[in-house]
Amino acid sequence: MNKPVLLVVAPMPVFPTSAGNRKRLLATCELLENEGFLLDFAYVAHEDQIYRRFGQEPPTDMAAMCTRFRRTYRIEVERPIKIKTRAHAFGLDDWSVEELDDFLTAYFKQTPECGAILVNYVFLSKCLASVPAGIVTIIDTHDRFGNRKAQYAVTRGDPNFFYCTDKDEAAGLRRADLILAIQERERDHFRYSTGRDVLVLPPALKVERNFGPPRRLEAVGFVGHGNDANLVSISTFADHWSRLWRPELPILKIAGEICTALPSEPRPGIELLGYVAKLEDFYDAVELIVAPMSMGTGLKLKVAEGLAFGKPVVGTALAFEGFPTRSADHCLPGPEAVANRIAAISDEPSAMGHLIDECVTLFRDYARAAEEAGVTFAKAVKARIGVSAGVPMRSAASEPDLRQVVAYGRVEIVEGEAPAAPSLFTAEGVKHVATERPYYDDPIRDLGTYSPCARRWFVRRGATITTEANSPLAGRRIIAAPALIDCGSQDEQMLWGVRSLSEARPDWLSTGARLLQVGNDWTLETLWPTALIAQGVRLSMFLIPNAFAPAVPVKIAKTMMLFGSPSRTSVVEKTCGDWPLAPAALRLEAASARDATGWRAVVVLAVGLVGLIDMSAETVS
Amino acid sequence: MTDAETTVDPGEGRIAALAAARLHWEALFLNERLIEFPSTPRPNVSIVIVSRGARHLLATTLANLSRYLPTAEEAFEVILVDNASDAETRRLFPKLTNVTLILNEKNVGFGPACDQGAVIARANRILFLNPDVDLMPGAIKALVDGFSLFDRVGIVGARLVFPGGFLQEAGAGFVDDAQVTHPYLRGMQDASAPEALFAREVGYVSGAVMMVDRELYTTLGGFDRDFDPAYFEDTDLCIRAQRLGWSVVYQPRAVAIHYENATSPDRATAAALIDRHRGVFLDKHRKWLFDSGAHPAGFMAREMNRFRLRVLYVDDRTPHLDLGSGLPRANSIVNAMASLGYQVTLFPAYESDDEPADRYRDLHPTVEILKPQGGTKLILDLCRERAGYYDVLWVSRPHNIAMVCHAMLAGGRSPRDLAQRIVFDTEAVFAARDGVEAVARGRGLTAEALQGGLKKELRFAALADKVVCVSPSEERLLRAAELLNVVVLGHSVEPRPGTNSFADRSGVLFVGSLKHEGSPNVDSIDWLLNHTWPKVRRAFGEDVRLVLAGDIAETARDRFENAGATVMGRLDRLDRVFNEVRVAVAPTRFAGGVPHKVHEAVSHGLPMVVTPILKRQVNWEEGEGLLSAPWQDPDAFASTVTSLLRNKALWNTTRERGLARIAADHSAHTFARAIRNICEAETVA
């Protein structure tokens, strides 16, 4: 039987399904597959970049996605995403991705069987201009961005992540044939703002556990991703809970990435579980789920998921927005009220029994509405799309392929090509150094450019001592491993790794620098990215010796900007992002009583970018 | 004599005002006069006044209000809630017409009385007005306009002035000290000081003149009863609004004389209430205000929004659209920044307009415009007084860049002590213009001389994050001079073609300042009239007109009129003349920068004939809004003008292609995006 093909475009991966938006994405994909669609998936690697910017290795599981979808593509985002704006709002297309436009041109040329595209988030909607006529275009909104900024007023927080004006958001949504809202209030808003019909599609979650009988509360739980809405809400709740906690009250167990953003000191009544490998283990360890949300848009998946795992949920009105609520326990005014309510019912079986009854009804009604909405949505897409010819499934991704091991000084550089190369990430004595940044040679014709596979390099302690060798990274465009930014140590293995990536093609390059030595004071005169001048910017800096030896970490004691033009020999090259460079004198803390001669370059690692200051032309005065 | 010297001490001013109010009351009754308001079936503003004795000032306030001439947008109703005033005061009420009266038999307090009035208010904007306030013309409309100045505005307050002219309050903010609340500029002698004249988001505004969005007021449930009978309820309302994401805005165009404390109990009782309610206020809001980590400190405390980008913009003078010399472009930049939500301080180094209305005639009301003070001293003063306040320093024109850098060097500082990001806007590269002029006037020019001139002119530009120039041709020049971080920012113009067709139009237009003999513009008209215009007249007919619009020197006027041109001088609005003529010309022989005159004319749907130098500066193809001909060949220039005057198809095609180019390259959206990319650095985690 012929199946219609639909391309899903998302700025987040489906796997690991560790955040609400990923769960929503997976639920939508499952719905479409159940309704007979074949799915291609294009991951626009926004979230990978964000992880790296905050010094974390992105946990994206490309291998799982390759297995899951008919075809999987990865679109690397070259330009750094502006996480904040100091204007009153982001422009609608500030987060659009040029590489995605090229990808879609290539994809639709070579995939005539595809009849529809589902773009996740309105901030990627500009790409729909690159979709040929006749293809059904859909935007899944996930959230409402028009009023997001105002939510930060609750805590006077610094607004970040995407927000725009209502007018711009509506203009973005009107680019699509079909608009999906995640809950009814947002559907009504988008209908009003766009003047168009909008479908509501709450995510359908399968029942994981049935509700049990009422029990005395020993533990209540909260699981969440590390976003601002979770942080603000659970912080307020936890502060209050800790103050009112006494031994007869249940422990609050917090799980998920959110734990990394919370204070790690022990507090009464609170236990941080961190990242949990199996969600069911977390749900089995608590009797009730709290949803004390005081900010956030969209639909709170944590509420639906808690119910799907058979746990009663107590929360704020905001947390339950979009759910067919009837109980006062589902429309409490704020985090403090949620804490007070749980304290009141923790040892009240009748109240718990009543709450469980309400939750059973709520979840049943929600699930029914979600199922009906799913059928309506699928019908609406099918009504617009022609049924395509049958297409074969792609075979599952192969295991990591170790292609090359090169002796490099006292280490080996191990090169692998795989969606994730997970075995190397966890191998003893092996450390990640870099991932290849794809070079889009022929971006609108060669679909192979968007392969989910990426070449990665690791350092492994090796017995071989070579006097000279070329790094396999030489001349390649790379993304440095986030761990290197904090590698100011004397870890020789990693310092060989830094040495190896000094031969790669940097994201910014400055030549004509001079290293001056007066006594023990070293001063580097160079063109320097002005964005790195501010205090508190995370960066690491390494001197690369002329001799074949590991990199040497150095620290900047003081930065002074210079009046006047750079030296005649200065050349600046920027391949990634807009990082203005200006003449500066950096006073360095010399790592040891070394001579200031004999260095050929400085490697600067910051915000996920590799910078190189080349001193080979002119070095010491 | 300055304004500041004409003011009198607030105490004396108040005595004089009270004396006048007593006489006003006496005359009202002696002469049996009424205080009459019109009936307003559909008010846009509901004014709620709470009275408590103080009959003389109350009568004056109402009488002044009855003389206020509202426009349709500010049509108002008056609701007077009387808190058990004495019998003498209540003698006034029968004299009021079309005022809704609520008479309380006991003093329920200020907040509850306001709520009583608000409940029956019919308009979407509620103006709480103290009974001792005199609103200046247009104040109500200005308050209404305040709601559209920022995102999601909930409350707007006025510029309050003491009787006598001292400034009482220009918005207010919070500092974590014993006093907590700090009215901005209170007691300043000059109520029209630059710092008091720009609109901004503030911590709170006084309840003396406070306009509140009705939806917000309902959401908040009115004033909090914890502050009965009075004091801090207005401050509390402002904070509660902000905690829900609404802004509180200070609107300097709403000017009001506030006599202050007219209805207060004795000083000791008032002081005790203030102290008690300050404590209540702090209990409620201290954490949000001071412990959130987001409260602006130091100089920033005058504003509430810590996250707004703050720009110090330096140029020769206050830039206006009608001035030429690159100032229209500066005007567009400053206004675009303000529209983006940036807080802009404009520092006109040498010249500004005396009257605030002239200063702000075409500049966004949120822009702070400093007084011109010759540069160096003010730059160093700003560095000291506003340390840490600015994010971006934008300096326009090479001589101002040199001025700022010299000032900094002399003071032992770096421009980065003033702002984290430095933008130098070359505006027009004079070395390039001088070079072209030298060639045009037959003098020689070597590449070395040009490079040397450029380097001298832009010797400090290397330290900037962005060096802005106005055209791709200047970008190439700057890059050749080894400047880094060069970026192009042209003009912002929207297509607004006049409705007249080819047949409805006649004549040729030149627009530009002809004020200075020897300038590129005057040179170009001399050349046109001497070498080309006679040929056009011979070809097209003697009756074809050449219209010159723009400031003009008297000597030039005589010369050009004698040569047959129609001299119109400076016109406030050019739309009409753009719609009447058929062709515009710009026979420029030497120029720097990018010609605003070309963008203006083409955006109005007026095709042009220009010299190749201008065509290169705008970087358009032949036929895109303009045709070009070299000034070295007067016959070619004349025949090109004649063709465009005669050939309807050519005229229409050139016009349409020009409008399309303007829409693509110079829209406000494109311009604003370019400015954001210049001002906002890449985010560093």
Side-chain angles (χ1 to χ4, degrees), chain B residues 460-488:
Chain B
F460 293 117
L463 59 81
D465 293 82
K466 293 285 175 188
V467 178
V468 179
C469 64
V470 292
S471 68
S473 59
E474 292 199 351
E475 182 189 19
R476 286 191 291 275
L477 209 56
L478 295 178
R479 287 193 191 280
E482 296 169 10
L483 275 177
L484 305 167
N485 312 323
V486 181
V487 61
V488 178

XYZ file of all heavy atoms in Angstrom, chain B residues 460-488:
217
model
N 41.694 56.279 14.525
C 41.251 55.602 15.738
C 40.243 54.477 15.456
O 39.796 53.795 16.365
C 40.595 56.591 16.694
C 41.559 57.608 17.244
C 41.405 58.951 16.967
C 42.630 57.214 18.039
C 42.291 59.881 17.477
C 43.515 58.142 18.553
C 43.351 59.482 18.266
N 39.880 54.365 14.192
C 38.741 53.491 13.893
C 39.009 52.015 14.174
O 38.080 51.240 14.349
C 38.318 53.673 12.440
N 40.280 51.640 14.249
C 40.585 50.215 14.419
C 40.071 49.654 15.728
O 39.837 48.465 15.855
C 42.093 49.994 14.333
N 39.908 50.524 16.739
C 39.502 49.960 18.028
C 38.000 49.726 18.115
O 37.504 49.240 19.128
C 40.007 50.821 19.192
C 39.601 52.273 19.301
C 38.226 52.412 19.896
C 40.610 52.993 20.188
N 37.276 50.051 17.054
C 35.817 49.887 17.103
C 35.400 48.449 16.838
O 36.056 47.723 16.094
C 35.165 50.791 16.069
N 34.300 48.068 17.450
C 33.710 46.773 17.118
C 33.136 46.799 15.715
O 33.152 45.790 15.011
C 32.573 46.461 18.098
C 33.084 46.239 19.490
O 33.314 47.234 20.205
O 33.279 45.088 19.854
N 32.603 47.955 15.355
C 32.060 48.102 14.008
C 32.431 49.474 13.466
O 32.278 50.473 14.171
C 30.524 47.998 14.025
C 30.008 46.632 14.398
C 30.170 45.657 13.245
C 29.770 44.264 13.671
N 30.090 43.266 12.650
N 32.908 49.484 12.247
C 33.113 50.746 11.545
C 32.032 50.810 10.483
O 32.000 49.992 9.561
C 34.517 50.811 10.897
C 34.671 52.113 10.127
C 35.595 50.684 11.962
N 31.120 51.756 10.661
C 29.957 51.814 9.781
C 30.226 52.808 8.670
O 30.736 53.904 8.924
C 28.711 52.260 10.580
C 27.496 52.341 9.675
C 28.454 51.298 11.727
N 29.912 52.419 7.452
C 29.974 53.377 6.362
C 28.666 53.303 5.587
O 27.817 52.467 5.891
C 31.176 53.114 5.454
S 31.093 51.529 4.629
N 28.506 54.195 4.628
C 27.175 54.365 4.068
C 26.970 53.703 2.714
O 25.844 53.659 2.226
C 26.820 55.859 3.956
C 26.672 56.464 5.330
C 27.856 56.589 3.147
N 28.031 53.227 2.105
C 27.831 52.639 0.776
C 28.871 51.561 0.527
O 29.955 51.595 1.104
C 27.956 53.723 -0.305
O 29.284 54.178 -0.358
N 28.545 50.624 -0.355
C 29.522 49.578 -0.677
C 30.822 50.154 -1.234
O 31.895 49.608 -0.996
C 28.805 48.726 -1.728
C 27.354 48.956 -1.469
C 27.249 50.374 -0.997
N 30.738 51.291 -1.948
C 31.975 51.845 -2.509
C 32.887 52.336 -1.387
O 34.103 52.156 -1.422
C 31.673 52.972 -3.494
O 30.966 53.999 -2.848
N 32.277 52.940 -0.349
C 33.114 53.381 0.772
C 33.603 52.183 1.583
O 34.690 52.222 2.158
C 32.343 54.365 1.647
C 32.107 55.662 0.908
C 31.764 56.838 1.797
O 31.525 56.637 3.011
O 31.727 57.946 1.271
N 32.823 51.151 1.612
C 33.271 49.941 2.307
C 34.560 49.424 1.666
O 35.527 49.087 2.355
C 32.188 48.862 2.239
C 32.569 47.593 2.977
C 31.597 46.456 2.739
O 30.840 46.505 1.740
O 31.584 45.513 3.537
N 34.572 49.407 0.327
C 35.773 48.928 -0.379
C 36.970 49.818 -0.043
O 38.079 49.353 0.198
C 35.515 48.914 -1.884
C 34.602 47.777 -2.341
C 34.608 47.652 -3.859
N 33.951 48.767 -4.512
C 32.639 48.844 -4.732
N 31.843 47.867 -4.352
N 32.111 49.892 -5.332
N 36.699 51.121 0.008
C 37.753 52.087 0.303
C 38.326 51.851 1.705
O 39.540 51.852 1.913
C 37.135 53.491 0.231
C 38.001 54.662 -0.169
C 38.645 54.415 -1.513
C 37.144 55.926 -0.211
N 37.440 51.625 2.665
C 37.880 51.443 4.053
C 38.631 50.131 4.224
O 39.619 50.055 4.947
C 36.678 51.500 4.997
C 35.952 52.845 5.052
C 34.749 52.768 5.980
C 36.884 53.947 5.512
N 38.149 49.119 3.540
C 38.845 47.842 3.628
C 40.234 47.953 3.006
O 41.196 47.365 3.500
C 38.037 46.735 2.949
C 36.804 46.331 3.751
C 36.207 45.047 3.217
N 34.906 44.793 3.810
C 34.716 44.276 5.024
N 35.748 43.940 5.758
N 33.501 44.077 5.487
N 40.294 48.716 1.914
C 41.602 48.911 1.282
C 42.545 49.654 2.218
O 43.764 49.495 2.143
C 41.433 49.682 -0.028
N 41.977 50.475 3.095
C 42.804 51.197 4.064
C 43.052 50.360 5.313
O 43.403 50.881 6.365
C 42.140 52.513 4.440
N 42.823 49.041 5.191
C 43.130 48.055 6.239
C 42.286 48.220 7.490
O 42.698 47.863 8.590
C 44.625 48.099 6.603
C 45.503 47.686 5.443
C 46.970 47.985 5.699
O 47.303 48.326 6.842
O 47.752 47.878 4.753
N 41.100 48.786 7.334
C 40.226 48.863 8.495
C 39.480 47.553 8.674
O 39.072 46.913 7.700
C 39.215 50.001 8.329
C 39.730 51.359 8.764
C 38.689 52.420 8.498
C 40.085 51.357 10.242
N 39.306 47.177 9.926
C 38.623 45.925 10.239
C 37.149 46.203 10.507
O 36.738 47.331 10.739
C 39.231 45.304 11.494
C 40.728 45.068 11.461
C 41.227 44.751 12.849
C 41.047 43.933 10.509
N 36.361 45.167 10.542
C 34.990 45.228 11.058
C 34.118 46.267 10.349
O 33.297 46.929 10.973
C 34.990 45.536 12.564
C 35.973 44.658 13.329
O 36.130 43.489 13.004
N 36.633 45.213 14.326
N 34.326 46.433 9.047
C 33.568 47.444 8.311
C 32.204 46.880 7.910
O 32.097 45.723 7.504
C 34.336 47.875 7.038
C 33.559 48.948 6.291
C 35.720 48.379 7.415
N 31.182 47.701 8.046
C 29.838 47.264 7.694
C 29.091 48.443 7.075
O 29.358 49.596 7.407
C 29.113 46.719 8.961
C 28.980 47.775 10.025
C 27.760 46.137 8.639
N 28.180 48.140 6.147
C 27.447 49.203 5.445
C 26.082 49.412 6.093
O 25.369 48.453 6.379
C 27.246 48.833 3.953
C 26.433 49.907 3.239
C 28.588 48.640 3.272
